[in-house]
Amino acid sequence: MKESRPQGFLSFTLHAHLPWVVHHGTWPHGLEWLLEAAAETYLPLLRILRTLERDGLAMKANVNLSPVLLEQLAHPAFRAEFPEYLRRKIQAAQEDESYFCQSGDEHYANTARMWRAFFEQTLEDFEALGGDIVAGFRRSSDAGLIEVITCCATHGYLPLLGTDACVMAQIQTGATAHARHLGRRPCGIWIPECGYRPAGAWQAPVAPDGSSQPWTKRQRIGVDEAIAAAALDYCFVDSHLVEQSMLFTPCEIPGEKRPGGGALGTPAALPRSAQAACSLYRTYVVDGSSARDRPVTIFPRDPRTGMQVWSGATGYPGDPNYLEFHKKRWPGGHRYWQVTNSHAGAAMKIPYCPDRAAGRVRAHAEHFVSVVCDALRHNTMENGRRC
């Protein structure tokens, strides 16, 4: 029997971050933002991971939990308030259901029942975790279902930080916080906004206050040097950085194993003639000062699949049948309307239909698979070999 060879490999990477909102008010902003995200994003993700594990599958995704998010999910104020928030949502759904039934609007009443069941399940999930969402991610990581990676300490945009010490501190502190919450040092990092900068001479674009002379040029380290100094192996960058850069060199498939696993090529200058041929469907190592001692691997984001799951204008989130995020019913804050039209005002939104939305989820999943397969067919063979 002939052994089948895969066309290529797909890696999901999920980025999770919220700014610090604990003790910064509650409704409609502040802590409510974190409570809502925990209920409608983080716990449902853990539920999916448990379901896949039960079915003998592993998502094998990278999940970035930023240090700011980890600190908040572990904070006593959040852990005390979250179950109360869920009980308020359950009660609000019950009250909405009663109101809609009295009004003779069975469609809205059914949606209220959906919300009640959803938040009852969420409360049950939270209690099953002992009130510790971070522990749920730690368990999934330990079981090999996902790999949790880190981010910068405060999600600072590295290319604009004023000193090398700031860049180093953001990455080192992020890795340390990750180890404290997850029980192990991370292997990779999601740099905020995928903001990479190379090493080199730099000059501030404006002059010091009271002076007509610009700042003196100085040498700055590359982001890759700070990543290597924190003993991290890889990061993610946006597509344009690979398409327009000469600072990376492709990883070879056969070769030395790096500490985090995976093949590592010999760092070398990328020829100018190869610049236009850079592929987004290969891994690269940064050809910087740290390349010999501790090479940093980069993974380019795929623009086609990324836009599908991110863009409300051209991707799945803008589908008219999906739940409208911004319009909520007062009081209680439940959502009863669908996107309808991304340009339509709140008054123009029509009632949400969960069954119709579920059908669109399946159609979009099938379309996503076709987009991925198409990308693999066209990009897994380069220079006469499999990437």
Side-chain angles (χ1 to χ4, degrees):
M1 181 176 179
K2 185 178 180 180
E3 181 182 358
S4 61
R5 299 182 65 185
Q7 285 189 330
F9 301 92
L10 168 69
S11 175
F12 290 104
T13 299
L14 309 177
H15 173 49
H17 166 71
L18 281 179
W20 187 269
V21 295
V22 175
H23 299 149
H24 282 63
T26 52
W27 173 270
H29 304 294
L31 186 60
E32 189 85 7
W33 192 3
L34 177 63
L35 298 170
E36 182 179 71
E40 300 183 31
T41 301
Y42 309 137
L43 280 168
L45 175 58
L46 288 173
R47 191 181 310 142
I48 290 295
L49 291 173
R50 289 198 305 272
T51 300
L52 291 173
E53 183 181 25
R54 182 196 63 201
D55 294 341
L57 301 171
M59 187 174 181
K60 294 294 185 182
N62 300 299
V63 178
N64 166 229
L65 302 174
S66 75
V68 176
L69 177 60
L70 287 171
E71 294 289 346
Q72 291 183 99
L73 292 176
H75 198 286
F78 165 78
R79 296 181 62 174
E81 180 61 23
F82 187 57
E84 298 305 315
Y85 165 81
L86 296 177
R87 295 185 183 100
R88 290 196 300 271
K89 300 297 281 188
I90 293 168
Q91 180 179 351
Q94 292 171 331
E95 293 172 353
D96 285 354
E97 178 187 354
S98 177
Y99 172 82
F100 291 133
C101 286
Q102 291 175 9
S103 303
D105 197 326
E106 188 62 21
H107 182 91
Y108 280 130
N110 281 332
T111 306
R113 295 184 189 105
M114 177 201 76
W115 283 124
R116 182 182 65 181
F118 175 84
F119 284 103
E120 286 174 344
Q121 180 64 59
T122 303
L123 179 59
E124 182 179 322
D125 291 345
F126 186 68
E127 291 174 341
L129 290 171
D132 190 347
I133 294 177
V134 175
F137 283 106
R138 184 167 59 244
R139 182 197 172 279
S140 293
S141 175
D142 292 343
L145 305 176
I146 57 175
E147 177 165 330
V148 182
I149 62 177
T150 191
C151 189
C152 291
T154 64
H155 209 264
Y157 186 62
L158 300 180
L160 295 184
L161 295 186
T163 67
D164 291 347
C166 288
V167 176
M168 297 285 284
Q170 282 280 340
I171 295 175
Q172 291 277 8
T173 303
T176 300
H178 177 102
R180 177 160 45 83
H181 287 288
L182 278 304
R184 65 178 70 179
R185 293 279 294 185
C187 291
I189 182 170
W190 181 274
I191 48 180
E193 311 303 333
C194 294
Y196 172 85
R197 78 174 194 210
W202 179 83
Q203 186 177 43
V206 295
D209 289 343
S211 173
S212 60
Q213 298 300 316
W215 291 94
T216 303
K217 282 189 177 182
R218 59 183 176 83
Q219 288 294 126
R220 298 197 305 180
I221 65 169
V223 167
D224 56 291
E225 295 177 67
I227 292 174
L232 300 172
D233 298 319
Y234 62 89
C235 67
F236 300 83
V237 299
D238 268 325
S239 56
H240 69 273
L241 194 67
V242 171
E243 292 172 323
Q244 302 176 20
S245 178
M246 295 169 55
L247 297 176
F248 306 109
T249 182
C251 289
E252 299 294 335
I253 291 302
E256 180 186 357
K257 294 290 183 178
R258 61 181 172 88
L264 176 65
T266 302
L270 187 64
R272 183 174 297 274
S273 60
Q275 184 176 0
C278 286
S279 171
L280 300 179
Y281 300 92
R282 302 179 69 175
T283 54
Y284 295 83
V285 291
V286 183
D287 189 21
S289 62
S290 61
R292 297 292 176 184
D293 299 327
R294 190 170 186 103
V296 173
T297 302
I298 67 163
F299 294 87
R301 294 175 68 182
D302 175 29
R304 286 184 285 183
T305 53
M307 289 296 288
Q308 288 294 338
V309 301
W310 176 258
S311 173
T314 61
Y316 307 136
D319 187 283
N321 298 284
Y322 285 159
L323 190 67
E324 168 61 44
F325 178 79
H326 298 95
K327 185 176 181 179
K328 300 179 180 179
R329 184 177 186 273
W330 178 266
H334 289 304
R335 304 180 183 92
Y336 290 94
W337 300 272
Q338 63 186 47
V339 171
T340 309
N341 184 311
S342 59
H343 301 292
M348 303 300 294
K349 303 295 183 179
I350 65 176
Y352 174 64
C353 180
D355 291 341
R356 192 180 302 135
R360 296 303 295 153
V361 169
R362 177 173 291 276
H364 285 155
E366 292 173 352
H367 177 259
F368 184 83
V369 170
S370 71
V371 172
V372 170
C373 290
D374 182 66
L376 291 175
R377 278 193 297 269
H378 287 86
N379 295 284
T380 53
M381 298 300 294
E382 187 173 302
N383 296 329
R385 63 176 178 79
R386 188 172 300 275
C387 296

